[in-house]
Protein backbone atom coordinates (compact mmCIF):
# COMPACT_ATOMS: atom_id res chain seq x y z
CA UNK A 1 0.00 0.00 0.00
CA UNK A 2 1.38 3.46 -0.91
CA UNK A 3 2.22 6.17 1.65
CA UNK A 4 -0.46 8.36 0.10
CA UNK A 5 -3.03 5.58 0.50
CA UNK A 6 -2.07 5.16 4.15
CA UNK A 7 -2.18 8.88 4.87
CA UNK A 8 -5.14 9.98 2.81
CA UNK A 9 -7.09 6.75 2.33
CA UNK A 10 -7.84 6.18 5.99
CA UNK A 11 -11.49 5.56 6.64
CA UNK A 12 -13.35 8.67 7.74
CA UNK A 13 -16.91 8.98 9.00
CA UNK A 14 -19.07 9.29 5.89
CA UNK A 15 -22.64 9.28 7.24
CA UNK A 16 -24.50 10.44 10.33
CA UNK A 17 -26.39 8.34 12.86
CA UNK A 18 -29.92 9.06 14.09
CA UNK A 19 -28.49 11.72 16.45
CA UNK A 20 -26.66 13.45 13.52
CA UNK A 21 -23.33 12.26 14.91
CA UNK A 22 -20.53 11.08 12.55
CA UNK A 23 -20.66 7.38 11.73
CA UNK A 24 -19.60 4.92 9.02
CA UNK A 25 -21.64 3.27 6.28
CA UNK A 26 -21.57 -0.52 6.16
CA UNK A 27 -21.30 -2.77 3.11
CA UNK A 28 -24.56 -3.97 1.61
CA UNK A 29 -23.92 -7.47 2.97
CA UNK A 30 -23.30 -6.24 6.52
CA UNK A 31 -26.33 -3.96 6.41
CA UNK A 32 -28.36 -6.91 5.21
CA UNK A 33 -27.22 -9.21 8.02
CA UNK A 34 -27.97 -6.44 10.49
CA UNK A 35 -31.48 -5.99 9.13
CA UNK A 36 -32.19 -9.72 9.31
CA UNK A 37 -30.84 -10.21 12.81
CA UNK A 38 -32.11 -7.11 14.57
CA UNK A 39 -35.53 -7.82 13.06
CA UNK A 40 -37.21 -4.64 14.08
CA UNK A 41 -40.34 -3.68 12.27
CA UNK A 42 -41.88 -2.55 15.53
CA UNK A 43 -41.20 0.91 16.91
CA UNK A 44 -37.74 1.69 18.24
CA UNK A 45 -36.37 4.74 20.03
CA UNK A 46 -35.40 6.43 16.77
CA UNK A 47 -37.54 4.89 14.00
CA UNK A 48 -41.10 3.69 13.59
CA UNK A 49 -42.30 0.46 12.03
CA UNK A 50 -43.24 1.85 8.63
CA UNK A 51 -39.87 3.57 8.19
CA UNK A 52 -38.02 0.38 9.07
CA UNK A 53 -40.28 -1.69 6.80
CA UNK A 54 -39.53 0.58 3.84
CA UNK A 55 -35.79 0.44 4.56
CA UNK A 56 -35.89 -3.35 4.86
CA UNK A 57 -37.75 -3.72 1.55
CA UNK A 58 -35.14 -1.59 -0.19
CA UNK A 59 -32.31 -3.71 1.20
CA UNK A 60 -34.01 -7.02 0.33
CA UNK A 61 -34.44 -5.92 -3.28
CA UNK A 62 -30.89 -4.59 -3.46
CA UNK A 63 -29.43 -7.87 -2.21
CA UNK A 64 -31.63 -9.94 -4.54
CA UNK A 65 -30.27 -7.92 -7.47
CA UNK A 66 -26.60 -7.76 -6.48
CA UNK A 67 -25.80 -10.85 -4.39
CA UNK A 68 -28.72 -13.31 -4.30
CA UNK A 69 -26.56 -16.26 -3.20
CA UNK A 70 -25.40 -14.38 -0.11
CA UNK A 71 -28.99 -13.28 0.48
CA UNK A 72 -30.23 -16.87 0.48
CA UNK A 73 -27.54 -17.95 2.95
CA UNK A 74 -28.14 -14.95 5.21
CA UNK A 75 -31.87 -15.69 5.33
CA UNK A 76 -31.16 -19.29 6.39
CA UNK A 77 -28.67 -18.12 9.01
CA UNK A 78 -31.06 -15.54 10.46
CA UNK A 79 -33.92 -18.04 10.72
CA UNK A 80 -31.87 -20.97 11.99
CA UNK A 81 -29.13 -19.53 14.18
CA UNK A 82 -30.44 -16.02 14.75
CA UNK A 83 -33.90 -17.42 15.62
CA UNK A 84 -35.59 -14.57 13.73
CA UNK A 85 -38.75 -15.00 11.66
CA UNK A 86 -40.32 -11.95 10.05
CA UNK A 87 -37.36 -10.40 8.24
CA UNK A 88 -36.10 -13.75 6.86
CA UNK A 89 -39.62 -14.51 5.59
CA UNK A 90 -39.83 -11.05 4.03
CA UNK A 91 -36.50 -11.67 2.32
CA UNK A 92 -37.61 -15.11 1.16
CA UNK A 93 -40.69 -13.63 -0.50
CA UNK A 94 -38.57 -11.10 -2.38
CA UNK A 95 -35.95 -13.72 -3.31
CA UNK A 96 -38.72 -15.76 -4.99
CA UNK A 97 -39.18 -12.89 -7.46
CA UNK A 98 -35.54 -12.84 -8.55
CA UNK A 99 -34.09 -16.34 -8.15
CA UNK A 100 -36.66 -19.17 -7.99
CA UNK A 101 -33.82 -21.72 -7.85
CA UNK A 102 -32.28 -20.23 -4.70
CA UNK A 103 -35.75 -19.70 -3.26
CA UNK A 104 -36.52 -23.40 -3.71
CA UNK A 105 -33.16 -24.43 -2.21
CA UNK A 106 -33.77 -22.61 1.08
CA UNK A 107 -37.57 -22.58 1.43
CA UNK A 108 -37.89 -25.43 3.94
CA UNK A 109 -34.95 -24.10 5.97
CA UNK A 110 -36.75 -20.76 6.41
CA UNK A 111 -40.42 -21.82 6.47
CA UNK A 112 -40.13 -24.25 9.36
CA UNK A 113 -43.53 -24.17 11.09
CA UNK A 114 -47.08 -23.36 9.92
CA UNK A 115 -47.01 -19.83 11.32
CA UNK A 116 -43.97 -19.20 9.10
CA UNK A 117 -46.00 -20.38 6.10
CA UNK A 118 -48.92 -18.17 7.11
CA UNK A 119 -46.72 -15.08 7.42
CA UNK A 120 -44.88 -15.89 4.19
CA UNK A 121 -48.13 -16.10 2.21
CA UNK A 122 -49.41 -12.92 3.87
CA UNK A 123 -46.21 -11.10 2.87
CA UNK A 124 -46.50 -12.37 -0.71
CA UNK A 125 -50.03 -11.05 -0.95
CA UNK A 126 -48.96 -7.72 0.58
CA UNK A 127 -46.27 -7.44 -2.10
CA UNK A 128 -48.95 -7.78 -4.77
CA UNK A 129 -47.84 -11.26 -5.81
CA UNK A 130 -51.08 -13.06 -5.03
CA UNK A 131 -50.39 -16.76 -4.52
CA UNK A 132 -46.85 -16.46 -5.87
CA UNK A 133 -47.12 -18.59 -9.01
CA UNK A 134 -46.09 -22.16 -9.77
CA UNK A 135 -42.63 -21.99 -8.15
CA UNK A 136 -44.11 -20.92 -4.83
CA UNK A 137 -46.91 -23.50 -4.95
CA UNK A 138 -44.38 -26.30 -5.46
CA UNK A 139 -42.60 -25.31 -2.25
CA UNK A 140 -45.85 -24.89 -0.32
CA UNK A 141 -46.78 -28.42 -1.39
CA UNK A 142 -43.45 -29.72 -0.09
CA UNK A 143 -44.20 -28.11 3.25
CA UNK A 144 -47.79 -29.39 3.41
CA UNK A 145 -46.57 -32.96 2.80
CA UNK A 146 -45.03 -32.81 6.29
CA UNK A 147 -48.01 -31.39 8.17
CA UNK A 148 -48.93 -33.48 11.22
CA UNK A 149 -52.13 -33.79 13.22
CA UNK A 150 -50.44 -31.78 15.97
CA UNK A 151 -49.82 -28.93 13.56
CA UNK A 152 -53.35 -29.25 12.22
CA UNK A 153 -54.85 -28.76 15.68
CA UNK A 154 -52.41 -26.03 16.71
CA UNK A 155 -52.18 -23.85 13.61
CA UNK A 156 -55.46 -24.08 11.72
CA UNK A 157 -57.20 -21.18 13.48
CA UNK A 158 -59.05 -18.76 11.23
CA UNK A 159 -58.97 -14.99 11.28
CA UNK A 160 -55.19 -14.51 11.68
CA UNK A 161 -53.95 -14.51 8.11
CA UNK A 162 -53.54 -17.71 6.14
CA UNK A 163 -54.53 -20.89 7.97
CA UNK A 164 -53.25 -24.33 6.96
CA UNK A 165 -56.63 -24.88 5.32
CA UNK A 166 -56.12 -21.74 3.23
CA UNK A 167 -52.68 -23.05 2.20
CA UNK A 168 -54.21 -26.39 1.13
CA UNK A 169 -56.87 -24.55 -0.86
CA UNK A 170 -54.17 -22.41 -2.50
CA UNK A 171 -51.63 -25.09 -3.40
CA UNK A 172 -53.93 -28.11 -4.02
CA UNK A 173 -51.50 -30.73 -2.69
CA UNK A 174 -52.06 -34.35 -3.74
CA UNK A 175 -52.41 -36.65 -0.70
CA UNK A 176 -50.12 -39.67 -0.65
CA UNK A 177 -52.30 -41.88 1.57
CA UNK A 178 -55.74 -42.00 3.20
CA UNK A 179 -54.70 -40.40 6.47
CA UNK A 180 -53.21 -37.45 4.62
CA UNK A 181 -56.35 -37.19 2.48
CA UNK A 182 -58.43 -37.10 5.67
CA UNK A 183 -56.13 -34.47 7.18
CA UNK A 184 -56.33 -32.18 4.13
CA UNK A 185 -60.14 -32.52 4.08
CA UNK A 186 -60.27 -31.61 7.78
CA UNK A 187 -58.05 -28.57 7.22
CA UNK A 188 -60.40 -27.43 4.44
CA UNK A 189 -63.38 -27.76 6.79
CA UNK A 190 -64.81 -30.71 4.85
CA UNK A 191 -66.43 -33.81 6.29
CA UNK A 192 -63.90 -36.55 6.95
CA UNK A 193 -63.33 -39.79 8.85
CA UNK A 194 -61.98 -38.68 12.23
CA UNK A 195 -61.16 -42.27 13.17
CA UNK A 196 -58.10 -41.82 10.95
CA UNK A 197 -57.09 -38.71 12.96
CA UNK A 198 -57.16 -39.49 16.71
CA UNK A 199 -55.62 -36.18 17.83
CA UNK A 200 -58.03 -34.18 15.67
CA UNK A 201 -60.88 -36.27 17.02
CA UNK A 202 -59.79 -35.42 20.59
CA UNK A 203 -60.02 -31.70 19.75
CA UNK A 204 -63.48 -32.02 18.26
CA UNK A 205 -64.64 -34.04 21.28
CA UNK A 206 -63.16 -31.39 23.59
CA UNK A 207 -65.30 -28.73 21.94
CA UNK A 208 -68.43 -30.79 22.69
CA UNK A 209 -67.47 -31.88 26.23
CA UNK A 210 -69.91 -30.73 28.90
CA UNK A 211 -67.94 -31.56 32.05
CA UNK A 212 -64.50 -30.66 33.30
CA UNK A 213 -63.59 -34.34 33.63
CA UNK A 214 -64.44 -34.95 29.95
CA UNK A 215 -62.39 -31.96 28.89
CA UNK A 216 -59.35 -33.12 30.81
CA UNK A 217 -59.75 -36.64 29.42
CA UNK A 218 -59.67 -35.40 25.81
CA UNK A 219 -56.83 -32.96 26.48
CA UNK A 220 -54.67 -35.73 27.90
CA UNK A 221 -55.73 -38.39 25.39
CA UNK A 222 -55.02 -36.11 22.44
CA UNK A 223 -51.99 -34.40 24.00
CA UNK A 224 -53.61 -31.22 22.76
CA UNK A 225 -51.51 -28.04 22.48
CA UNK A 226 -52.34 -25.32 24.99
CA UNK A 227 -53.12 -22.79 22.20
CA UNK A 228 -55.75 -25.15 20.80
CA UNK A 229 -57.33 -25.83 24.18
CA UNK A 230 -57.47 -22.20 25.28
CA UNK A 231 -59.02 -21.32 21.91
CA UNK A 232 -61.68 -24.02 22.24
CA UNK A 233 -62.70 -23.73 25.92
CA UNK A 234 -62.25 -21.34 28.81
CA UNK A 235 -59.71 -23.17 30.97
CA UNK A 236 -60.40 -23.75 34.66
CA UNK A 237 -57.67 -24.37 37.23
CA UNK A 238 -57.93 -28.13 36.59
CA UNK A 239 -57.66 -27.63 32.82
CA UNK A 240 -54.61 -25.39 33.26
CA UNK A 241 -53.07 -28.12 35.42
CA UNK A 242 -53.66 -30.69 32.69
CA UNK A 243 -52.03 -28.35 30.17
CA UNK A 244 -49.11 -27.63 32.45
CA UNK A 245 -47.82 -31.18 32.31
CA UNK A 246 -47.58 -31.21 28.52
CA UNK A 247 -46.48 -27.63 27.83
CA UNK A 248 -43.21 -26.99 25.98
CA UNK A 249 -40.62 -25.02 27.97
CA UNK A 250 -41.12 -21.82 25.97
CA UNK A 251 -44.89 -21.93 26.51
CA UNK A 252 -44.34 -22.56 30.20
CA UNK A 253 -42.34 -19.35 30.49
CA UNK A 254 -44.94 -17.34 28.57
CA UNK A 255 -47.86 -18.59 30.66
CA UNK A 256 -46.54 -18.32 34.19
CA UNK A 257 -48.78 -15.32 34.84
CA UNK A 258 -51.85 -17.21 33.64
CA UNK A 259 -50.93 -20.24 35.75
CA UNK A 260 -50.47 -17.99 38.78
CA UNK A 261 -53.81 -16.22 38.22
CA UNK A 262 -55.60 -19.55 37.85
CA UNK A 263 -54.26 -20.73 41.22
CA UNK A 264 -52.13 -23.51 39.70
CA UNK A 265 -49.07 -22.27 41.58
CA UNK A 266 -50.87 -22.67 44.90
CA UNK A 267 -50.13 -26.41 44.64
CA UNK A 268 -46.61 -27.36 45.70
CA UNK A 269 -46.41 -30.30 43.30
CA UNK A 270 -47.06 -27.93 40.38
CA UNK A 271 -44.41 -25.49 41.54
CA UNK A 272 -41.92 -28.33 42.02
CA UNK A 273 -42.68 -29.60 38.52
CA UNK A 274 -42.17 -26.17 36.91
CA UNK A 275 -38.96 -25.60 38.86
CA UNK A 276 -37.60 -28.97 37.74
CA UNK A 277 -38.42 -28.15 34.10
CA UNK A 278 -36.75 -24.75 34.30
CA UNK A 279 -33.56 -26.22 35.74
CA UNK A 280 -33.30 -29.14 33.32
CA UNK A 281 -30.09 -28.42 31.39
CA UNK A 282 -30.99 -30.65 28.41
CA UNK A 283 -34.52 -29.25 28.11
CA UNK A 284 -33.20 -25.68 28.15
CA UNK A 285 -30.70 -26.49 25.42
CA UNK A 286 -33.34 -28.15 23.22
CA UNK A 287 -35.79 -25.26 23.72
CA UNK A 288 -33.20 -22.79 22.32
CA UNK A 289 -34.45 -20.14 24.70
CA UNK A 290 -33.31 -16.59 24.17
CA UNK A 291 -31.97 -15.39 27.52
CA UNK A 292 -34.22 -12.33 27.56
CA UNK A 293 -37.22 -14.69 27.79
CA UNK A 294 -35.93 -15.73 31.19
CA UNK A 295 -35.39 -12.09 32.14
CA UNK A 296 -38.96 -11.19 31.11
CA UNK A 297 -40.43 -14.08 33.10
CA UNK A 298 -38.25 -13.14 36.08
CA UNK A 299 -39.65 -9.61 35.98
CA UNK A 300 -43.24 -10.86 35.86
CA UNK A 301 -43.38 -13.82 38.25
CA UNK A 302 -43.76 -13.29 41.99
CA UNK A 303 -43.39 -16.83 43.33
CA UNK A 304 -40.04 -16.98 45.22
CA UNK A 305 -39.27 -20.61 44.37
CA UNK A 306 -39.86 -20.01 40.67
CA UNK A 307 -37.76 -16.85 40.74
CA UNK A 308 -34.96 -18.99 42.16
CA UNK A 309 -35.51 -21.54 39.38
CA UNK A 310 -35.32 -18.78 36.74
CA UNK A 311 -32.07 -17.54 38.26
CA UNK A 312 -30.64 -21.03 37.99
CA UNK A 313 -31.96 -21.41 34.43
CA UNK A 314 -30.12 -18.27 33.34
CA UNK A 315 -26.86 -19.65 34.71
CA UNK A 316 -27.43 -23.01 32.99
CA UNK A 317 -28.21 -21.34 29.67
CA UNK A 318 -24.67 -19.97 29.49
CA UNK A 319 -22.90 -22.85 31.20
CA UNK A 320 -21.83 -24.70 28.04
CA UNK A 321 -20.24 -21.68 26.34
CA UNK A 322 -16.54 -21.73 25.39
CA UNK A 323 -14.17 -19.71 27.55
CA UNK A 324 -13.75 -16.06 26.53
CA UNK A 325 -10.40 -15.13 28.06
CA UNK A 326 -9.82 -13.15 31.20
CA UNK A 327 -8.34 -9.93 29.80
CA UNK A 328 -11.66 -8.66 28.54
CA UNK A 329 -13.40 -5.29 28.94
CA UNK A 330 -17.19 -5.35 28.76
CA UNK A 331 -18.95 -2.03 28.22
CA UNK A 332 -22.76 -1.81 28.50
CA UNK A 333 -24.56 1.25 27.13
CA UNK A 334 -27.13 2.44 29.71
CA UNK A 335 -28.17 5.62 27.87
CA UNK A 336 -31.81 6.64 27.52
CA UNK A 337 -32.25 5.12 24.06
CA UNK A 338 -31.42 1.71 25.54
CA UNK A 339 -34.35 1.80 27.96
CA UNK A 340 -36.67 -1.22 27.99
CA UNK A 341 -35.96 -4.53 26.30
CA UNK A 342 -32.63 -3.39 24.80
CA UNK A 343 -31.16 -2.83 28.25
CA UNK A 344 -32.84 -5.89 29.74
CA UNK A 345 -31.27 -8.09 27.08
CA UNK A 346 -27.95 -6.25 27.08
CA UNK A 347 -27.54 -6.52 30.83
CA UNK A 348 -28.15 -10.29 30.80
CA UNK A 349 -25.61 -10.81 28.03
CA UNK A 350 -23.00 -8.52 29.58
CA UNK A 351 -23.24 -10.31 32.93
CA UNK A 352 -23.01 -13.70 31.22
CA UNK A 353 -19.85 -12.53 29.46
CA UNK A 354 -18.43 -11.37 32.77
CA UNK A 355 -19.09 -14.73 34.39
CA UNK A 356 -17.40 -16.56 31.53
CA UNK A 357 -14.20 -14.66 32.36
CA UNK A 358 -14.39 -15.97 35.94
CA UNK A 359 -14.82 -12.45 37.23
CA UNK A 360 -11.39 -11.32 36.01
CA UNK A 361 -12.65 -8.97 33.30
CA UNK A 362 -13.81 -5.37 33.51
CA UNK A 363 -17.53 -4.66 33.45
CA UNK A 364 -18.32 -0.96 33.07
CA UNK A 365 -21.62 0.82 32.49
CA UNK A 366 -21.59 4.00 30.44
CA UNK A 367 -23.75 6.85 29.23
CA UNK A 368 -21.73 10.08 29.09
CA UNK A 369 -19.90 8.87 32.20
CA UNK A 370 -18.40 5.50 33.12
CA UNK A 371 -19.26 3.48 36.21
CA UNK A 372 -17.72 0.22 37.39
CA UNK A 373 -20.71 -2.14 37.75
CA UNK A 374 -18.86 -4.16 40.41
CA UNK A 375 -20.76 -7.36 39.52
CA UNK A 376 -20.74 -10.41 41.75
CA UNK A 377 -19.58 -13.79 40.48
CA UNK A 378 -21.89 -15.44 42.98
CA UNK A 379 -25.11 -13.42 42.70
CA UNK A 380 -27.37 -14.53 39.84
CA UNK A 381 -27.33 -12.95 36.37
CA UNK A 382 -31.04 -12.09 36.50
CA UNK A 383 -30.89 -10.47 39.93
CA UNK A 384 -27.98 -8.27 38.91
CA UNK A 385 -29.46 -7.42 35.50
CA UNK A 386 -32.67 -6.19 37.18
CA UNK A 387 -30.65 -3.56 39.10
CA UNK A 388 -29.28 -1.89 35.94
CA UNK A 389 -31.31 1.12 34.74
CA UNK A 390 -31.12 3.49 31.75
CA UNK A 391 -30.16 7.16 32.02
CA UNK A 392 -28.50 10.03 30.19
CA UNK A 393 -26.89 10.51 26.79
CA UNK A 394 -24.42 8.39 24.83
CA UNK A 395 -20.65 8.74 24.61
CA UNK A 396 -19.30 5.46 23.24
CA UNK A 397 -15.73 6.70 23.51
CA UNK A 398 -15.94 7.32 27.26
CA UNK A 399 -15.13 3.79 28.49
CA UNK A 400 -12.19 3.45 26.09
CA UNK A 401 -10.80 6.80 27.28
CA UNK A 402 -10.92 5.42 30.81
CA UNK A 403 -9.01 2.32 29.66
CA UNK A 404 -6.31 4.56 28.16
CA UNK A 405 -6.15 6.84 31.16
CA UNK A 406 -5.71 3.91 33.54
CA UNK A 407 -3.42 1.98 31.15
CA UNK A 408 -5.62 -1.12 31.49
CA UNK A 409 -4.25 -4.00 29.43
CA UNK A 410 -7.09 -5.94 27.76
CA UNK A 411 -7.06 -8.30 24.80
CA UNK A 412 -10.67 -7.77 23.77
CA UNK A 413 -13.24 -5.04 24.19
CA UNK A 414 -16.94 -5.91 23.98
CA UNK A 415 -19.33 -2.98 23.73
CA UNK A 416 -23.10 -3.58 23.82
CA UNK A 417 -24.98 -0.57 22.46
CA UNK A 418 -27.57 0.78 20.04
CA UNK A 419 -24.74 3.00 18.69
CA UNK A 420 -26.61 6.29 18.96
CA UNK A 421 -23.72 8.53 20.00
CA UNK A 422 -24.78 12.11 20.74
CA UNK A 423 -21.86 13.56 22.70
CA UNK A 424 -18.17 13.11 23.51
CA UNK A 425 -15.62 11.43 21.25
CA UNK A 426 -16.40 8.51 18.92
CA UNK A 427 -15.65 4.94 19.95
CA UNK A 428 -13.44 4.25 16.95
CA UNK A 429 -11.20 7.28 17.51
CA UNK A 430 -10.59 6.17 21.08
CA UNK A 431 -10.12 2.53 19.99
CA UNK A 432 -7.34 3.60 17.59
CA UNK A 433 -5.70 5.57 20.41
CA UNK A 434 -5.94 2.57 22.73
CA UNK A 435 -4.30 0.36 20.15
CA UNK A 436 -1.51 2.89 19.57
CA UNK A 437 -0.85 3.59 23.25
CA UNK A 438 -1.71 0.41 25.17
CA UNK A 439 -2.34 -2.76 23.11
CA UNK A 440 -2.08 -2.69 19.35
CA UNK A 441 -3.54 -6.21 19.06
CA UNK A 442 -6.75 -5.57 21.01
CA UNK A 443 -9.84 -6.99 19.33
CA UNK A 444 -13.13 -5.12 19.53
CA UNK A 445 -16.65 -6.58 19.37
CA UNK A 446 -19.50 -4.16 18.73
CA UNK A 447 -22.75 -5.87 19.70
CA UNK A 448 -25.40 -3.81 17.93
CA UNK A 449 -28.91 -4.35 19.23
CA UNK A 450 -30.66 -1.78 17.04
CA UNK A 451 -31.63 -1.73 13.34
CA UNK A 452 -29.99 1.56 12.39
CA UNK A 453 -27.69 1.38 9.37
CA UNK A 454 -24.78 3.47 10.58
CA UNK A 455 -21.76 2.02 12.34
CA UNK A 456 -19.17 3.18 14.86
CA UNK A 457 -16.19 1.74 12.95
CA UNK A 458 -15.23 1.59 9.26
CA UNK A 459 -15.89 -1.56 7.29
CA UNK A 460 -12.33 -2.81 6.83
CA UNK A 461 -10.93 -3.17 10.30
CA UNK A 462 -9.78 -6.79 10.66
CA UNK A 463 -9.57 -6.52 14.45
CA UNK A 464 -13.13 -5.31 14.93
CA UNK A 465 -16.19 -7.55 14.68
CA UNK A 466 -19.81 -6.51 14.32
CA UNK A 467 -22.56 -8.66 15.79
CA UNK A 468 -26.16 -7.90 14.97
CA UNK A 469 -29.17 -9.10 16.95
CA UNK A 470 -29.52 -11.61 19.74
CA UNK A 471 -29.46 -15.38 19.93
CA UNK A 472 -27.96 -18.05 22.09
CA UNK A 473 -25.08 -18.13 19.59
CA UNK A 474 -23.85 -14.57 20.24
CA UNK A 475 -21.64 -15.28 23.23
CA UNK A 476 -20.31 -18.42 21.59
CA UNK A 477 -19.49 -16.42 18.46
CA UNK A 478 -17.53 -13.82 20.46
CA UNK A 479 -15.59 -16.54 22.26
CA UNK A 480 -14.69 -18.27 19.01
CA UNK A 481 -13.69 -15.03 17.31
CA UNK A 482 -11.24 -14.49 20.17
CA UNK A 483 -9.73 -17.84 19.18
CA UNK A 484 -10.00 -17.01 15.47
CA UNK A 485 -13.38 -17.46 13.80
CA UNK A 486 -14.02 -14.85 11.11
CA UNK A 487 -16.74 -12.24 10.71
CA UNK A 488 -20.45 -12.94 10.47
CA UNK A 489 -20.56 -12.04 6.79
CA UNK A 490 -17.59 -14.32 6.04
CA UNK A 491 -19.20 -17.12 7.98
CA UNK A 492 -22.49 -16.72 6.12
CA UNK A 493 -20.75 -16.48 2.74
CA UNK A 494 -19.09 -19.82 3.45
CA UNK A 495 -22.33 -21.66 4.22
CA UNK A 496 -23.53 -24.55 2.07
CA UNK A 497 -26.99 -24.08 0.61
CA UNK A 498 -27.33 -27.80 -0.11
CA UNK A 499 -27.53 -28.87 3.55
Amino acid sequence: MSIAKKLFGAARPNVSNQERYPAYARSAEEQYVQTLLTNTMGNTFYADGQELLADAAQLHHRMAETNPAFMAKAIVFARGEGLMRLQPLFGLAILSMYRPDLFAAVFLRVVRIPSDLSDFLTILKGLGRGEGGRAVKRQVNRFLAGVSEYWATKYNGRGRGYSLGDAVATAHPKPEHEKQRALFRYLRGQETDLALLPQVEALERLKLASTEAERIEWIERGKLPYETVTGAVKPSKAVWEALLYQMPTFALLRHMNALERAGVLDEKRNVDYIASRLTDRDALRKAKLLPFRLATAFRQVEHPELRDALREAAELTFDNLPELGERTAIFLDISGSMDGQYLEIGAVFALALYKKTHGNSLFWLFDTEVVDAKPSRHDSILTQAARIHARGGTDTGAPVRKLIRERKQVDQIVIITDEQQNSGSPFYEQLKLYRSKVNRDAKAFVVDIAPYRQAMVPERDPQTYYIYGWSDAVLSYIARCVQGYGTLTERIAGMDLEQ
Side-chain angles (χ1 to χ4, degrees), residues 229-305:
V229 173
T230 55
V233 299
K234 184 175 181 179
S236 62
K237 177 185 175 182
V239 167
W240 272 118
E241 281 187 319
L243 290 172
L244 166 63
Y245 287 86
Q246 56 193 50
M247 266 189 193
T249 305
F250 182 72
L252 192 55
L253 278 174
R254 286 183 57 199
H255 287 83
M256 277 193 184
N257 272 343
L259 293 167
E260 193 165 31
R261 286 195 304 270
V264 173
L265 304 189
D266 295 341
E267 304 289 338
K268 187 176 186 308
R269 69 183 183 91
N270 295 335
V271 172
D272 290 345
Y273 171 77
I274 295 172
S276 69
R277 288 279 304 280
L278 292 176
T279 54
D280 183 329
R281 189 190 307 271
D282 290 336
L284 289 171
R285 187 176 63 252
K286 289 175 184 175
K288 294 185 177 180
L289 285 175
L290 293 174
F292 76 84
R293 298 291 183 191
L294 297 169
T296 302
F298 183 75
R299 175 166 36 85
Q300 294 174 342
V301 74
E302 298 292 333
H303 198 288
E305 192 173 332

Side-chain angles (χ1 to χ4, degrees), residues 175-185 192-193 196-197:
E176 297 179 1
H177 45 74
E178 283 305 308
K179 181 171 181 176
Q180 196 171 68
R181 185 185 304 278
L183 188 61
F184 288 164
R185 287 183 62 82
T192 192
D193 182 4
L196 294 169
L197 306 169

Side-chain angles (χ1 to χ4, degrees), residues 106-177:
V106 302
F107 184 85
L108 292 182
R109 295 171 69 184
V110 180
V111 177
R112 302 171 69 164
I113 57 176
S115 55
D116 293 342
L117 182 64
S118 173
D119 286 344
F120 171 75
L121 293 172
T122 299
I123 291 167
L124 267 187
K125 186 175 181 181
L127 291 173
R129 299 210 45 228
E131 297 173 356
R134 209 173 299 172
V136 169
K137 287 184 179 180
R138 275 197 295 269
Q139 300 312 312
V140 173
N141 276 334
R142 288 176 67 205
F143 181 88
L144 292 174
V147 169
S148 64
E149 282 189 73
Y150 179 85
W151 277 1
T153 58
K154 182 175 179 178
Y155 291 104
N156 203 39
R158 303 273 173 178
R160 298 183 65 182
Y162 281 84
S163 66
L164 280 173
D166 294 330
V168 171
T170 296
H172 305 292
K174 294 180 180 179
E176 297 179 1
H177 45 74

Side-chain angles (χ1 to χ4, degrees), residues 203 206-208 215 224 226-235:
L203 172 59
L206 170 68
K207 293 175 182 177
L208 300 173
R215 289 174 179 168
L224 295 177
Y226 68 95
E227 303 97 328
T228 299
V229 173
T230 55
V233 299
K234 184 175 181 179

Side-chain angles (χ1 to χ4, degrees), residues 33-99:
V33 172
Q34 181 183 22
T35 295
L36 289 171
L37 293 179
T38 52
N39 181 38
T40 45
M41 290 185 182
N43 288 0
T44 70
F45 191 87
Y46 290 101
D48 64 28
Q50 287 304 309
E51 180 184 343
L52 291 167
L53 178 60
D55 284 351
Q58 187 178 35
L59 253 186
H60 286 306
H61 281 288
R62 180 180 173 190
M63 285 305 300
E65 290 171 347
T66 61
N67 198 344
F70 180 86
M71 178 183 187
K73 294 173 182 179
I75 288 169
V76 170
F77 178 86
R79 182 68 186 97
E81 295 196 44
L83 304 182
M84 293 299 184
R85 289 187 61 252
L86 196 54
Q87 284 287 7
L89 292 170
F90 189 13
L92 184 68
I94 290 175
L95 183 63
S96 71
M97 301 162 61
Y98 291 82
R99 287 290 300 271

Side-chain angles (χ1 to χ4, degrees), residues 26 30 411-415 419 427 431 435 441-448 456-459 461-468 477-478 480-490:
R26 306 307 292 171
E30 285 206 55
D411 294 325
Q412 47 266 343
I413 296 169
V414 181
I415 182 168
E419 299 196 51
F427 171 80
L431 178 62
R435 285 171 174 163
D441 297 321
K443 290 183 171 70
F445 298 87
V446 181
V447 184
D448 180 358
M456 299 192 304
V457 300
E459 180 183 350
D461 179 344
Q463 292 175 283
T464 300
Y465 301 79
Y466 257 74
I467 299 165
Y468 302 115
Y477 174 76
I478 292 174
R480 290 191 173 96
C481 283
V482 168
Q483 301 158 19
Y485 198 81
T487 65
L488 271 183
T489 51
E490 288 170 351

